[in-house]
Amino acid sequence: MRITVTVNGQPYTRDVEPRLLLVHFLRDELDLTGTHWGCDTSNCGVCTVQLDGVPVKSCTVLAVMADGHEVTTVEGLERDGDLDAVQKGFVECHGLQCGFCTPGMLLTARALLDRNPDPDEGQIREAISGQLCRCTGYENIVRSIRWAAETEAKS
């Protein structure tokens, strides 16, 4: 099946199997390996990307479902060599440990701040509740997202 998907602002046209998952399309067809593949059951959230600005678990979306849509991966967060505020927040506040969950966390956080530029701790925790991090107690992740929100509010 022939699809055209815009990923990180660039259109890609490919022939794909109808059952190909979006996570495999991104990783194997486009070589965008920042999107991780974890549990295979949609429980961990490490495969989260944005589909038309909405966080989705790419292990539950068929590539053909993304035909004609915009996908943002972690590679698409930085612009012209500048990290996104959420990426900077994770650096500044030590929001990552091993980094496996980080791409999904970053994309979920970016979507949260796009629709709610001043979330409180509860709203942040609810937004990232579909993401599992096995290394942290989430404190630094929440702090990182608040840092990004506060930094963006100042600019």
Side-chain angles (χ1 to χ4, degrees):
M1 182 168 215
R2 190 166 205 66
I3 64 170
T4 299
V5 181
T6 301
V7 180
N8 301 328
Q10 181 177 340
Y12 294 91
T13 300
R14 297 285 192 281
D15 289 317
V16 299
E17 290 284 326
R19 65 179 183 217
L20 181 69
L21 293 172
L22 182 57
V23 66
H24 298 304
F25 176 76
L26 296 169
R27 291 180 59 81
D28 302 337
E29 296 288 325
L30 303 185
D31 233 11
L32 295 171
T33 57
T35 302
H36 293 156
W37 179 39
C39 66
D40 244 355
T41 61
S42 80
N43 288 317
C44 72
V46 302
C47 67
T48 300
V49 298
Q50 289 183 9
L51 182 63
D52 295 334
V54 177
V56 298
K57 294 177 181 178
S58 62
C59 73
T60 63
V61 176
L62 296 171
V64 297
M65 295 167 72
D67 185 30
H69 293 278
E70 172 78 30
V71 174
T72 304
T73 69
V74 71
E75 291 92 346
L77 285 178
E78 72 76 30
R79 299 277 187 237
D80 300 320
D82 289 327
L83 294 179
D84 183 87
V86 174
Q87 291 171 305
K88 291 177 186 175
F90 271 63
V91 171
E92 291 295 320
C93 300
H94 310 287
L96 56 95
Q97 297 281 315
C98 79
F100 196 64
C101 71
T102 303
M105 288 282 189
L106 291 170
L107 288 156
T108 299
R110 177 74 268 152
L112 169 65
L113 295 182
D114 286 346
R115 67 176 191 278
N116 178 2
D118 188 28
D120 62 29
E121 181 179 336
Q123 292 166 322
I124 293 170
R125 287 184 180 279
E126 181 179 343
I128 64 172
S129 65
Q131 321 270 266
L132 294 180
C133 176
R134 292 177 176 97
C135 298
T136 73
Y138 296 90
E139 291 300 319
N140 287 349
I141 293 169
V142 172
R143 192 174 300 118
S144 299
I145 297 168
R146 278 298 312 146
W147 184 96
E150 292 166 6
T151 299
E152 287 183 340
K154 293 176 190 173
S155 58

